[in-house]
């Protein structure tokens, strides 16, 4: 559906129906799906229970809603996964990460790394590779180990400009 229609809403609706009909009760999937229109710079996305992503404007501070726009896939067959849209300008970056980044405990009190620290790191980086390396380094330093508690995946992409 995503390749055929380019519509993240329809794609996540289809995934939701599939997961509901093919998995055991109490199984769900959190995900973030986006489609960037390279001619307009519009990014249409669905955040289904994921919530761990940041929008880094080329000119400005990184921001994050820190809350998923929808419940995870596989919970409710009545949920419609409407896409949100952000307008990307050249140099803007989207950074998506698993909960292993945000929820990594550290220090004596085992406080979570948290989205505030994520945004602080991203305020000092300017490229996708620096986003990934900077976040990974910061999380490992926070945890005082490179053997982290949970999966730790970080993806960053940058809109370089509109296609002619």
């Amino acid at each position: 559906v995503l390749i055929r229609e380019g519509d993240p809403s329809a794609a996540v609706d289809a995934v939701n129906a599939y997961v509901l009909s093919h998995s055991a009760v109490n199984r769900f999937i959190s995900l973030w799906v986006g489609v960037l229109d390279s001619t307009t710079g519009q990014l249409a996305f669905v955040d289904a229970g994921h919530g761990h992503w940041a929008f880094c404007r080329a000119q400005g501070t990184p921001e994050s809603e820190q809350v998923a726009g929808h419940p995870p896939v596989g919970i409710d067959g009545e949920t419609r996964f409407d896409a949100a849209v952000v307008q990307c300008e050249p140099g803007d970056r989207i950074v998506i990460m698993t909960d292993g980044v945000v929820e990594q405990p550290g220090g004596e009190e085992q406080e979570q790394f948290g989205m505030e620290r994520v945004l602080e790191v991203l305020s000092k980086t300017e490229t996708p590779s620096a986003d990934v390396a900077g976040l990974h380094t910061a999380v490992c330093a926070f945890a005082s180990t490179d053997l982290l508690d949970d999966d730790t995946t970080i993806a960053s992409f940058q809109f370089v400009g509109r296609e002619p």
Side-chain angles (χ1 to χ4, degrees), residues 62-131:
E63 49 192 65
S64 175
E65 294 180 22
Q66 299 182 43
V67 175
H70 299 285
V73 166
I75 299 224
D76 178 16
E78 301 300 313
T79 299
R80 292 295 156 246
F81 294 88
D82 298 320
V85 177
V86 294
Q87 182 64 46
C88 294
E89 299 299 329
D92 290 351
R93 301 180 325 276
I94 301 292
V95 183
I96 305 163
M97 67 218 74
T98 56
D99 59 352
V101 173
V102 178
E103 296 173 5
Q104 175 60 47
E108 290 181 24
E109 288 134 24
Q110 294 296 290
E111 175 184 4
Q112 292 185 349
F113 187 74
M115 190 57 82
E116 286 183 26
R117 286 184 181 90
V118 167
L119 296 175
E120 182 181 325
V121 170
L122 294 176
S123 71
K124 299 172 186 164
T125 57
E126 296 180 356
T127 65
S129 59
D131 295 339

Side-chain angles (χ1 to χ4, degrees), residues 1-2 7-33 46-49 70-82:
V1 172
L2 189 59
D7 178 1
S9 296
V12 178
D13 284 342
V15 169
N16 189 49
Y18 182 86
V19 169
L20 281 165
S21 67
H22 288 83
S23 19
V25 176
N26 297 326
R27 296 291 182 181
F28 61 89
I29 300 169
S30 65
L31 63 108
W32 193 99
V33 176
V46 173
D47 186 345
H70 299 285
V73 166
I75 299 224
D76 178 16
E78 301 300 313
T79 299
R80 292 295 156 246
F81 294 88
D82 298 320

Side-chain angles (χ1 to χ4, degrees), residues 140-156:
C140 289
F142 181 78
S144 300
T145 182
D146 59 355
L147 299 172
L148 303 174
D149 283 3
D150 198 357
D151 62 294
T152 304
T153 303
I154 305 162
S156 177

